[in-house]
Amino acid sequence: MSSVGDGIRRSLEEAQTRMNREVNKTVEEFELMLRPVLKKSFQCQITCCDNTQLRAERFEQCIQECLTPVQSVHQSLNHEAKSMQDRYMRCNQACEDEMKDLMQSYRNSDGSPNMPIIEPKIVACVEKCTSSHVELLPVMMQRLRSSIPR
């Protein structure tokens, strides 16, 4: 039975690894798109530094104004990432709930859970969660793309 439980655990780990890999690719792509905004922000800050006429308070305002677009984009990224993570966790929680229900419904004659019946159902549930959320990444990317100032 432990090998069957190991099969579920392995499937969960593989799904998590796949999700992490796809999210990392999406974040890397987004960070590349963000570089022109970062460059513009840095150039703006240099302009603030070069302006010796600015007093301390106005200098700080100038720097802050340069950072605002970058901060706004980072807020969008954080919001999208948290939303995606929350949705993925809820989906996986539903699979866990399903497993608990199945373990009560499918029993062997000795009263133990019938894992050969339960395992493929749980693995399919987790794989469906992962696939559906990987498919959402391009949609998330489109929303992030629209948050980048021109």
Side-chain angles (χ1 to χ4, degrees):
M1 181 166 129
S2 68
S3 65
V4 176
D6 289 343
I8 291 175
R9 188 174 12 269
R10 194 169 29 262
S11 293
L12 291 171
E13 289 169 359
E14 288 170 3
Q16 187 64 49
T17 298
R18 177 178 172 219
M19 187 68 184
N20 288 342
R21 184 178 59 246
E22 295 299 324
V23 167
N24 287 340
K25 282 182 4 186
T26 301
V27 168
E28 286 175 16
E29 181 183 341
F30 178 72
E31 287 175 347
L32 285 174
M33 290 187 319
L34 186 57
R35 286 190 185 174
V37 177
L38 290 169
K39 180 180 177 181
K40 189 174 180 180
S41 173
F42 292 144
Q43 289 170 331
C44 177
Q45 291 174 64
I46 289 169
T47 301
C48 295
C49 291
D50 286 344
N51 187 344
T52 58
Q53 302 299 313
L54 296 178
R55 298 290 171 235
E57 187 177 319
R58 180 62 191 116
F59 173 75
E60 288 179 28
Q61 285 178 327
C62 183
I63 295 292
Q64 189 57 45
E65 289 167 5
C66 296
L67 292 171
T68 299
V70 174
Q71 290 169 338
S72 175
V73 171
H74 276 285
Q75 285 176 342
S76 295
L77 175 60
N78 290 339
H79 172 76
E80 290 291 340
K82 183 178 180 339
S83 176
M84 177 67 73
Q85 182 179 22
D86 290 348
R87 290 175 69 169
Y88 187 59
M89 287 174 48
R90 283 193 309 270
C91 190
N92 281 303
Q93 181 63 49
C95 293
E96 189 176 315
D97 292 344
E98 181 181 343
M99 182 173 73
K100 289 176 186 174
D101 294 341
L102 291 170
M103 290 179 87
Q104 295 300 317
S105 299
Y106 293 97
R107 296 284 191 181
N108 294 319
S109 58
D110 67 358
S112 64
N114 189 334
M115 294 308 287
I117 292 176
I118 296 169
E119 181 179 9
K121 294 176 185 293
I122 299 310
V123 168
C125 183
V126 170
E127 288 174 355
K128 181 179 176 186
C129 282
T130 301
S131 293
S132 67
H133 285 78
V134 165
E135 289 172 12
L136 289 173
L137 289 172
V139 176
M140 180 184 85
M141 188 63 163
Q142 187 60 39
R143 285 192 301 266
L144 288 171
R145 200 175 277 121
S146 70
S147 75
I148 297 175
R150 305 275 171 210

